[in-house]
């Protein structure tokens, strides 16, 4: 499944997030919650993956590299140490562990965005600020990706 769209949600007192209805069947067999790291200075978010999607992401991230290499080990430690296997409860919610709440600086009001291979969970205020910044960068990004060497 390709994850698309933007959804505003509120976490409850136990840090539970209701999964948007259109994605529930794709996540019915399990969920991996993980930090989502981008370039330095980019906002931190939490990702919601299918177990297969997370495994593919990790394989793509470290595939073909020396598994004993320092950078590969660091990357694997970061993702595997900080991810969590969870299940949807009867109300289609996932409980976000405290360490991921802190990593992504999540509070009660969040925005869930489709990012293709996964969902991202953002602090709502940071999502709005990031979107405004991204809107100013889109023309240059589009142009740079359209040019071939």
């Amino acid at each position: 499944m390709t994850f698309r769209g933007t959804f505003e949600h509120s976490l409850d007192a136990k840090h539970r997030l209701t999964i948007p209805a259109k994605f529930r069947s794709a996540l019915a067999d399990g969920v991996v919650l993980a930090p989502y790291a981008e370039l330095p200075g980019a906002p931190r978010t939490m990702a919601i993956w299918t177990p297969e999607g997370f495994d593919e992401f990790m394989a793509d991230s470290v595939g073909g590299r020396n598994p004993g290499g320092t950078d590969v080990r660091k990357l694997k430690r970061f993702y595997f140490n900080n991810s969590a296997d969870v299940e949807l409860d009867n109300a289609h919610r996932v409980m976000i562990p405290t360490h991921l709440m802190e990593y992504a600086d999540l509070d009660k009001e969040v925005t869930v965005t489709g990012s293709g291979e996964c969902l991202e969970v953002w602090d709502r205020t940071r999502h709005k600020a990031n979107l405004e910044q991204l809107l100013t960068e889109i023309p240059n990004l589009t142009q740079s990706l359209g040019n071939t060497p």
Side-chain angles (χ1 to χ4, degrees), residues 69-88:
T70 302
D71 290 343
V72 170
R73 293 298 314 148
K74 285 181 184 178
L75 189 65
K76 288 174 75 173
R77 280 188 191 113
F78 173 75
Y79 282 108
F80 287 118
N81 291 184
N82 292 294
S83 63
D85 292 301
V86 299
E87 301 289 331
L88 297 179

Side-chain angles (χ1 to χ4, degrees), residues 1 7 9 18-27 88 91-92 112 119:
M1 163 172 251
F7 311 85
H9 285 271
T18 301
I19 298 296
K22 70 185 277 182
F23 304 123
R24 292 175 186 165
S25 63
L27 298 169
L88 297 179
H92 310 289
V112 178
L119 294 168

